[in-house]
Amino acid sequence: MKRLLRRREVSWEDPMVGAALALDLSGLDYLRAIADGRIAPPPVAVLLGMGIVDVQPGRVTFSLEIGEHLYNPIGSVHGGIFCTLLDSAMGCAVHSTLGPGQAYTTLELKVNLVKALTLNTPSVVATGQVISAGRRVVTASGQISGPDGTLYAHATTTCLAVEPRPDGRNGHGRAQPG
Amino acid sequence: MKRLLRRREVSWEDPMVGAALALDLSGLDYLRAIADGRIAPPPVAVLLGMGIVDVQPGRVTFSLEIGEHLYNPIGSVHGGIFCTLLDSAMGCAVHSTLGPGQAYTTLELKVNLVKALTLNTPSVVATGQVISAGRRVVTASGQISGPDGTLYAHATTTCLAVEPRPDGRNGHGRAQPG
Amino acid sequence: MKRLLRRREVSWEDPMVGAALALDLSGLDYLRAIADGRIAPPPVAVLLGMGIVDVQPGRVTFSLEIGEHLYNPIGSVHGGIFCTLLDSAMGCAVHSTLGPGQAYTTLELKVNLVKALTLNTPSVVATGQVISAGRRVVTASGQISGPDGTLYAHATTTCLAVEPRPDGRNGHGRAQPG
Amino acid sequence: MKRLLRRREVSWEDPMVGAALALDLSGLDYLRAIADGRIAPPPVAVLLGMGIVDVQPGRVTFSLEIGEHLYNPIGSVHGGIFCTLLDSAMGCAVHSTLGPGQAYTTLELKVNLVKALTLNTPSVVATGQVISAGRRVVTASGQISGPDGTLYAHATTTCLAVEPRPDGRNGHGRAQPG
């Protein structure tokens, strides 16, 4: 059997450059700077083909272009890609509510996969929105839908706000605004 | 500011070739064929840098090489990559218990992210194992750990076994053994 | 220290009587018969103090009267009671979409507890609504809120529709419409 | 149709008495005092018929006597009761690791219901164990099993440690060690 090879080549900028800029911006300003191209998107977004398309306070939308590079062995987009897109949208929705120097960490997410996604659908969008915003704990939900409104997955997440440090560095080891 | 570009180029084979081979193999044989290189890995595994390292009945282990291509904007591996690795390991653990022509679909997964992962850790492994195997519904759990045993994430999933079709095709729109 | 005893006495009817009636009714008619008092509420509803207050296709609301009998050791309503109320509301939302003789089983639920509930709040309502209804798999979400709209918890669930049996008995070992 | 009434009467002590005692005890000592009967069990435990049977550091086991009072309309134990038992076992496992004056709050739990439970099984036990214990965030898992080892449900939870207050009161509105 002839083995046809398919390729994908991506390039990205040093993610620590944007991370440093984040420290002085509110979450809303930071995310809008990424959406507008003023701050480079993170490597994983370039790798997968996803990006921020809308940022509102407490509500962020990502798009994902569907390509074979996202496929599992059965010929559809891997469920983990749904999770990555939803984690991004929900995490950024939480991030959009934070002030300069504040950060958050995602404690957990739960994703329901409701429909397979293939190349027949050129792109999908994932929207995340904050459900409950406490002083420390913020929860959010998210949905992935196609151009015709078809629902592909839905999710919820629990995030923990991290106090800003006096030195301007946040102390978290993990934060995932994108 | 000088913008240094980093690149990643990947190539993969037509995923439908392996998908066709899967129909005549038990889950265990199919997964071992991927682990041994006799069936090409799926595109998403190549894209991310993950692969099957061990297949036992009801228990499958994946490895992931950590690279900057997996990074979120804050300089650590995106939480969605944890989900993708765990979804793969848990889904394959379920798949490893199925006979030829049988398939499954992942209904949901829940992932706890417990520790950030950076380039300081060269690689991690994720192991998935079946918890409860009913006639139709199978649940599994999974963990991601580093070379020194550090736990990075843990998860559970609910899968639904899909009946084989008379024509040898399974009817599911989504199945994610990898 | 003087130990004041508090009491609760409840009584209920044989739950199998209502279960038998369920076989000939659509989910909507069955749930409305419970809401209207034509079919006795299940024991657990009497025990806890919860009941159906509204039934629409794909959307069911329960109320719960807050009492000290629901308290954990710290002096607030036990988180598991939130789960029970949400499981009821979400499960019945799924049940409300089923035809006569059809049943469902709850595969999993995930509940976020966002605010403590005490006797200061006399009662809460939980509404469950179907998110995605496939041929076999139905997902739903739910929320618990107080009289002033305060959110106490939110949840999602995955249910599996069970085919009716030729003999009129459904084959499930577990189904939880209430 | 003749309507036979069944009854359950329970009584409990003021839960705030035990809550006050908790402030001076480590989690381990507090839970063992409940297990030994030196501190009264919380109302919800009496109401449902559950109790602590074993307390180890990071691992707590509850038992539940199965009775018709726990039934849903279909004639089996309501799924929410599984959640309550698992929330108790997992939350106490977390609590068992805390020092005097420290408290925790349960942020979320996810429960997989794998098998129906009826009066044919006289009692079940639920064991919760800590998976990951960070400075602030602790995760745990839990399982419900019958006398013959049959698995009925499994779960995971995310808890947040709450800093003790200078005045000896913890500031959380919700904590669920039981």
Side-chain angles (χ1 to χ4, degrees), chain C residues 14-24 30 39-40 170, chain D residues 72-75:
Chain C
D14 180 354
M16 301 318 289
V17 174
L21 296 173
L23 297 176
D24 297 325
Y30 172 65
I39 293 181
N170 59 63
Chain D
N72 61 29
I74 299 299

Side-chain angles (χ1 to χ4, degrees), chain B residues 155-172:
Chain B
T156 60
T157 193
T158 308
C159 296
L160 185 66
V162 178
E163 298 295 328
R165 283 189 175 178
D167 61 1
R169 292 178 58 90
N170 59 62
H172 64 95

Side-chain angles (χ1 to χ4, degrees), chain C residues 54-73:
Chain C
D54 188 55
V55 180
Q56 303 298 330
R59 182 181 180 93
V60 173
T61 302
F62 274 70
S63 69
L64 174 72
E65 291 182 51
I66 306 307
E68 196 183 87
H69 61 291
L70 305 175
Y71 267 30
N72 61 30

Side-chain angles (χ1 to χ4, degrees), chain A residues 1 3-17 19 30 38 42-44 47-48 50 68-76 78-81 83-84 87-88 106-116 172-178, chain B residues 1 3-17 19 30 38 42-44 47-48 50 68-76 78-81 83-84 87-88 106-116 172-178:
Chain A
M1 187 177 296
R3 301 187 144 195
L4 289 176
L5 278 189
R6 295 93 190 274
R7 293 178 190 282
R8 180 177 177 88
E9 182 181 351
V10 295
S11 60
W12 62 88
E13 299 179 27
D14 181 354
M16 300 319 289
V17 174
Y30 173 65
R38 288 174 283 129
V44 72
L47 183 74
L48 301 182
M50 69 180 182
E68 196 183 86
H69 61 291
L70 305 175
Y71 267 31
N72 62 29
I74 299 298
S76 59
H78 192 290
I81 302 302
C83 297
T84 305
D87 186 32
S88 298
T106 299
L107 301 182
E108 61 81 30
L109 69 160
K110 183 227 178 181
V111 179
N112 274 92
L113 306 169
V114 300
K115 190 172 169 59
H172 63 94
R174 176 170 43 78
Q176 300 161 62
Chain B
M1 187 176 297
R3 301 186 145 195
L4 289 175
L5 279 189
R6 295 93 188 276
R7 294 178 190 283
R8 180 176 175 86
E9 182 181 352
V10 295
S11 61
W12 62 88
E13 299 179 27
D14 181 353
M16 301 318 289
V17 173
Y30 172 66
R38 289 173 283 129
V44 73
L47 183 74
L48 301 182
M50 69 179 182
E68 195 183 87
H69 62 291
L70 304 175
Y71 267 30
N72 61 30
I74 299 299
S76 59
H78 192 290
I81 303 301
C83 298
T84 305
D87 185 31
S88 297
T106 299
L107 300 183
E108 61 80 32
L109 68 161
K110 183 229 179 178
V111 179
N112 275 90
L113 307 169
V114 299
K115 189 172 169 60
H172 64 95
R174 176 170 41 78
Q176 301 162 60

Side-chain angles (χ1 to χ4, degrees), chain D residues 2 17 26 35 48 65 111 115 126 146 154 163:
Chain D
K2 190 177 174 186
V17 173
S26 71
L48 301 182
E65 291 182 51
V111 179
K115 189 172 169 60
H154 57 86
E163 298 296 328

Side-chain angles (χ1 to χ4, degrees), chain D residues 40-174:
Chain D
V44 72
V46 177
L47 183 74
L48 301 182
M50 67 180 184
I52 301 176
V53 292
D54 189 55
V55 181
Q56 303 298 331
R59 180 180 180 94
V60 173
T61 301
F62 274 70
S63 68
L64 174 72
E65 291 182 51
I66 306 307
E68 196 183 86
H69 61 292
L70 304 174
Y71 268 30
N72 61 29
I74 299 299
S76 59
V77 173
H78 192 291
I81 302 301
F82 288 63
C83 297
T84 305
L85 192 62
L86 285 162
D87 185 32
S88 297
M90 296 189 296
C92 288
V94 172
H95 195 188
S96 73
T97 66
L98 301 180
Q102 288 187 302
Y104 75 98
T105 186
T106 299
L107 301 182
E108 62 80 32
L109 68 160
K110 183 227 177 179
V111 179
N112 275 91
L113 306 170
V114 299
K115 189 172 169 60
L117 184 58
T118 68
L119 291 171
N120 292 332
T121 301
S123 67
V124 293
V125 294
T127 298
Q129 51 276 319
V130 170
I131 297 177
S132 167
R135 190 171 54 83
R136 290 172 306 178
V137 180
V138 185
T139 64
S141 63
Q143 306 78 35
I144 296 179
S145 56
D148 62 353
T150 300
L151 181 71
Y152 289 96
H154 57 86
T156 60
T157 193
T158 309
C159 295
L160 185 67
V162 178
E163 298 296 328
R165 283 189 174 177
D167 61 1
R169 292 177 57 88
N170 59 63
H172 63 97
R174 177 170 42 78

Side-chain angles (χ1 to χ4, degrees), chain B residues 32-119:
Chain B
R32 286 179 170 167
I34 293 180
D36 295 347
R38 289 173 283 129
I39 293 181
V44 73
V46 177
L47 183 74
L48 301 182
M50 69 179 182
I52 301 177
V53 292
D54 188 54
V55 180
Q56 303 298 331
R59 182 180 179 92
V60 173
T61 301
F62 274 70
S63 68
L64 173 72
E65 290 182 53
I66 306 307
E68 195 183 87
H69 62 291
L70 304 175
Y71 267 30
N72 61 30
I74 299 299
S76 59
V77 174
H78 192 290
I81 303 301
F82 288 63
C83 298
T84 305
L85 192 61
L86 285 162
D87 185 31
S88 297
M90 296 189 295
C92 287
V94 172
H95 195 187
S96 74
T97 66
L98 301 181
Q102 289 187 303
Y104 75 98
T105 186
T106 299
L107 300 183
E108 61 80 32
L109 68 161
K110 183 229 179 178
V111 179
N112 275 90
L113 307 169
V114 299
K115 189 172 169 60
L117 184 59
T118 69
L119 290 171

